[in-house]
Amino acid sequence: MAFKKSLFLLAFIAAFHSVHAQVSKVTLSGQVASQSKKEMLPFVNVILKTEKDSAFATGTITAADGRFTLTDIAPGNYLLECSLLGFQTLKTPVTVGALSAFLDLGVLLMNEDAQILQEVTVTGSQADGVDSRLDRKVFDISKNLSQSGGSVLQALKNLPGVTAGEDGKVMLRGSDKVAVLVDGRQTALTGFGNQTSLDNIPASAIERIEIINNPSARYDANGNAGIINIIYKKNKQEGFNGKIGMTTGLGALWVRKENFPDIRPQSRNTLKLNPSVALNYKKEKLNIFFQGDYLHTPTLNKNEFTDRYYDSGDTIRQQLKRNRSTNVVTSKAGVDWNWNQQNSLSVSALFSSEKILDRGDQPFFNADLTQRRRLWQFLEDELKTTVTATASYQHKYAQPGRMLNVGFNYTFHREDEKYFFTNIMPDFTGKDAFKLLSDENVFDLTADYIRPLRYGRFEGGFKLRRRFIPTNMQFFPGLNSPIDSLAGGWADYKETIPALYGNYVFENRKFELEAGLRVEYINLRYTVNPTHPTYKSDGYSYAKPFPNVRLAYKFDEHNKISLFYNRRVDRPNEVDIRIFPKYDDAEIIKIGNPALKPQFTTSLEAGYKTSWSSGSLYAAAYYKQTNGTIIRIGTTVAGSTLIYNIFQNAGKSSNAGGELVWQQDLASWFSLNVNGNLYHNSIDAFSVANLYPVRSVYSAGKQQLTSGSAKINALLKGKKTELQVAVIYQAPDIVPQGRTGYRFSVDAGAKRQLRKGELFVNATDLFGTLVVRKTVFGDGFHYTSRDYYETQLVRAGYSFKF
């Protein structure tokens, strides 16, 4: 009852601004034939009128094959009239929905009539558009003033329904199992399992971001929380045009928490630079584009203070400080060639080089900081290189909207990582190192067929993925090395996934139906060095159906309710099963688990949206149940204070909650967008065994917690100037073996339109209130941590269009 009351209360105080994906203009097509002879009729007058007042919407005449096409039709209810001398006028009611960009009325049959029809004269205007599908939200990055000039990850954190989890991961409705796409495709730039590298993609390169909570069968089945689709900018104006921009910023303006004694200083006044250029040339059938960005971002990447308490009475206080220098070069170029009206070819390539230098310090003290037990210092030198090549062919049939798309995508991603450690103990100093080389190769072949129908469309296709990742870890132990050098060696990850899907969309005046089925087969083999002291080769295979259903009822043009059903999977990524221990934290060590299996999630959701002239309100209630939940579990070894965090399948978990959205133009110069999420996370009791470095069993009772988030965005608009203030609150949440604390921050930004350009300035975490808090309980220990990493940042930038 308390949960229901809280949800009801939140419904009146929380929601958000979003633009829901919809089709604003539709192309209507068909053919006209004689009833008696079944011959196609040319030169038939085809007129579309609004049903409400018979106002003229658009018109045309049929071609030699009887085919007609009506374009730029707003969704609504119409009457289609076909007239030709010698035939009776044919009148057909037509419902144009917002789900399909193309509708095909099929063959319309006219009866012969010797009477000459009188001329019809009508007047009127186009009908307004109707509501969206409620399955996604689309955001124009240029309107996110408080995060202009930052990364995609920073921009995402200010969007409705999105929060930040551990290690900066993006979370949707309390889950970090999010599939991230670039232009509708998975690439190594963002990862093929869960998200990666979002903080190193400049937001200046992005046109919009789509958040898809209930994906259709067209999309890969992975990602139980949903999909984030990042759409790169692509200009198609005639002639030569482009945009040049420059952003600079300053972070870590002061020390939020002082270092423990005798370690190197924290990064201060970190200078950010982001020059960017976008060029485009279009002439007749050819479109050539290029986009380049350079991102220089030194940061205080981590500044985490952790107190560890053991049942033996021992207490260890530690600080993990990481000064990071990141330089990222990203470029994308391509050619679109429309060699005729039916066939087109697009070829593009994306290149990204990310250079990371981390200088870390991790001291370990006793309870009152009077004795330093150990100082662990490291230098990480990492180069990530990504190359993606894409070719897509499109064939358009004579029937408008009927098309075949065939695509090929190849991605190469190299991770070249070197760590150099200095282990300073009271009576000796050791030098250790390791080198990791990982090459990811991914081949995707896809084919998609779309055919418009009278009341919707059918789409189907297949996808074949081959993925191969050889990795090699070499350890170089020094004096009295704490590193497990025997856990190195090689490992090969091989994955094959063929998939078939079909999706049917139907829409009439009151109802919408979208039903699809995706069938995926996966064969994964992970072969490891046979001399590894703990892990052996493993893998899995399955063939599973993944259905999706959406049923909607339209009360009128301003009110709609939708019901969703979805089944999805989260497959472990290669780094989740990687057998090599990672020592960037010397005493809370992360390692993968090659025996890790996928988790499967079933989702139910109901959404309702109502709109009025000056705003809208959206509400959703959702429930997800997951089997084989993937979580990290920390255990210790007898006689040691080291903690080993290892991924495990922990059994069943659930997530139930509600989301509310309210957008209101309070005046011509002021609008307010409020978003709220309230959800209840639960993890059933489970027992698992961590095998590394020795077998350790961990059992936990049922864990549950009610959490949520709220965001308020206020926008003040002048003739050429805009000002935005964003307030973000994230409530304490459940994590495996513990809890996270609350988070609160305030961001602000302003933008000024100039004659041919734009000037902006913004600031994040204005009051320095954003701190990541966490408490973890294990067998024989517990610890609390607070991370005071760089959150305050001031940026300014200018862009010029030509």
Side-chain angles (χ1 to χ4, degrees), residues 175-193:
S175 172
D176 64 0
K177 296 299 186 289
V178 182
V180 181
L181 312 182
V182 174
D183 292 333
R185 303 177 182 90
Q186 284 183 300
T187 74
L189 191 65
T190 53
F192 287 90

Side-chain angles (χ1 to χ4, degrees), residues 51 98 530 597:
E51 181 188 72
K597 299 298 187 289

Side-chain angles (χ1 to χ4, degrees), residues 227-301:
I227 291 173
I228 293 176
N229 189 19
I230 301 168
I231 308 298
Y232 266 74
K233 293 176 180 176
K234 189 175 181 181
N235 199 344
K236 288 191 175 183
Q237 294 179 350
E238 197 71 27
F240 179 71
N241 51 82
K243 183 177 181 180
I244 298 174
M246 179 64 183
T247 299
T248 185
L250 205 61
L253 304 179
W254 56 76
V255 175
R256 301 171 67 197
K257 184 173 176 61
E258 294 290 344
N259 283 342
F260 281 168
D262 302 325
I263 67 171
R264 293 173 291 187
Q266 303 174 20
S267 289
R268 288 285 314 278
N269 299 319
T270 54
L271 177 66
K272 325 291 184 183
L273 295 173
N274 177 208
S276 62
V277 60
L279 304 174
N280 193 85
Y281 176 74
K282 186 177 187 300
K283 186 175 182 181
E284 297 177 351
K285 299 180 180 180
L286 198 65
N287 183 66
I288 304 173
F289 59 91
F290 170 82
Q291 187 172 323
D293 285 87
Y294 171 66
L295 192 63
H296 172 68
T297 55
T299 60
L300 177 59
N301 178 259

